[in-house]
């Protein structure tokens, strides 16, 4: 079985400051890793994913995440946040060969003007 | 494509009533997922289908919940009878095929059971 831990339920950060949202996972098999974002009153949207290859993956709006196998982590970072980044962010894992996704409990990012 | 469509967007019902939530996945997607989101329990997978066949329903809370997918473009999640603790946002999501993994979520149905 897989599990995902997002230790920070809320992260307040000032606009234009950097941010890191932490994600750790546990699995006995190889996994694929994802970050989803949920804006208020909307469904989740895929932000970025790691399937294979380079351990550093980027999104189109400036977020990046690095897969660290030894530390079983997939932390999400952005060097300078904007008000529009205010949302809830979910880390997720999928065991290779399966479709069932395990989501973390989410981290609410609040960007302060 | 219009994306995943869910209806209704909001549902308010009284305890004991039957509730039916509907979902239309993205055309051509082989997988369909039903999730429930609450403050207390977060996002929970209830059931998922592959090519209209239920694959894993281990997340369905109890016999009051049932889900069907009569064809590739339509699925329902039914709660009968409903209880106040069923109040939540229910999401439907679809994904293209085995190995694609990315899930596309609908806007959700906010269910309130009084």
């Amino acid at each position: 079985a897989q599990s995902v831990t997002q230790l920070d339920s809320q992260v307040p950060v000032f606009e234009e400051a950097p941010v890191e949202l932490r994600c750790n996972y546990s699995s006995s098999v190889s996994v694929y890793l994802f970050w989803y974002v949920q804006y208020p009153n909307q469904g989740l949207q895929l932000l970025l994913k790691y399937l294979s290859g380079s351990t550093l993956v980027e999104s189109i709006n400036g977020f990046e995440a690095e897969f660290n196998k030894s530390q079983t982590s997939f932390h999400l970072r952005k060097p300078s946040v904007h008000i529009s980044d205010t949302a809830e962010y979910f880390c997720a894992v999928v065991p290779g060969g399966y479709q069932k996704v395990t989501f973390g409990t989410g981290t609410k990012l609040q960007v302060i003007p | 494509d219009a994306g995943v469509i869910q209806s209704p967007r909001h549902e308010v019902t009284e305890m004991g009533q039957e509730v039916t939530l509907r979902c239309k996945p993205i055309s051509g997607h082989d997988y369909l997922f039903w999730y429930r989101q609450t403050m207390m329990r977060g996002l929970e997978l209830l059931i998922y289908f592959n090519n209209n066949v239920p694959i894993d329903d281990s997340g369905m809370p109890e016999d009051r919940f049932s889900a069907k997918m009569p064809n590739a473009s339509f699925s329902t999640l039914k709660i009968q009878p409903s209880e106040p603790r069923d109040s939540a946002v229910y999401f439907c999501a679809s994904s293209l095929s085995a190995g694609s993994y990315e899930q596309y979520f609908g806007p959700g149905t906010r269910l309130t059971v009084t």
Side-chain angles (χ1 to χ4, degrees):
Chain A
Q2 293 69 234
S3 67
V4 180
T5 301
Q6 293 183 250
L7 287 174
D8 304 310
S9 60
Q10 294 189 52
V11 173
V13 62
F14 286 103
E15 193 174 15
E16 298 184 4
V19 69
E20 178 180 84
L21 306 183
R22 296 179 293 168
C23 172
N24 288 90
Y25 69 92
S26 173
S27 177
S28 57
V29 300
S30 296
V31 297
Y32 301 127
L33 296 154
F34 304 81
W35 277 99
Y36 282 80
V37 59
Q38 184 180 28
Y39 298 103
N41 299 314
Q42 295 186 26
L44 280 70
Q45 304 171 33
L46 182 68
L47 186 61
L48 46 76
K49 61 185 176 184
Y50 171 77
L51 301 182
S52 64
S54 173
T55 57
L56 183 66
V57 291
E58 299 177 352
S59 72
I60 59 174
N61 58 351
F63 283 93
E64 64 179 30
E66 186 161 19
F67 170 53
N68 188 318
K69 188 175 182 179
S70 62
Q71 297 187 6
T72 60
S73 67
F74 192 55
H75 301 330
L76 182 69
R77 302 182 183 96
K78 188 170 186 180
S80 175
V81 295
H82 303 284
I83 294 290
S84 59
D85 295 324
T86 295
E88 190 161 14
Y89 293 79
F90 292 87
C91 184
V93 299
V94 178
Y98 295 89
Q99 293 294 122
K100 188 173 180 178
V101 180
T102 300
F103 286 91
T105 51
T107 299
K108 291 184 178 178
L109 174 63
Q110 182 186 2
V111 181
I112 304 165
Chain B
D1 199 313
V4 175
I5 299 172
Q6 291 186 247
S7 65
R9 292 294 311 276
H10 302 273
E11 177 80 40
V12 180
T13 190
E14 293 183 350
M15 182 175 62
Q17 296 298 306
E18 177 180 296
V19 175
T20 300
L21 311 182
R22 297 173 175 79
C23 175
K24 176 179 170 54
I26 293 173
S27 178
H29 281 197
D30 290 341
Y31 288 84
L32 184 139
F33 305 81
W34 281 101
Y35 292 91
R36 178 173 67 177
Q37 186 178 39
T38 61
M39 290 290 293
M40 292 299 295
R41 301 174 68 90
L43 193 63
E44 304 172 276
L45 176 66
L46 300 177
I47 185 171
Y48 78 93
F49 296 82
N50 178 26
N51 291 324
N52 315 336
V53 176
I55 301 301
D56 186 340
D57 65 354
S58 59
M60 295 287 264
E62 47 198 275
D63 292 345
R64 297 184 298 107
F65 286 68
S66 62
K68 294 182 179 180
M69 193 165 186
N71 57 63
S73 60
F74 183 65
S75 177
T76 60
L77 178 67
K78 185 177 294 186
I79 308 173
Q80 166 63 17
S82 58
E83 297 182 2
R85 59 191 170 121
D86 301 330
S87 297
V89 180
Y90 291 81
F91 288 103
C92 175
S94 67
S95 65
L96 181 59
S97 61
S100 64
Y101 302 114
E102 177 178 354
Q103 295 189 13
Y104 296 79
F105 282 73
T109 295
R110 183 174 295 276
L111 174 64
T112 303
V113 183
T114 61

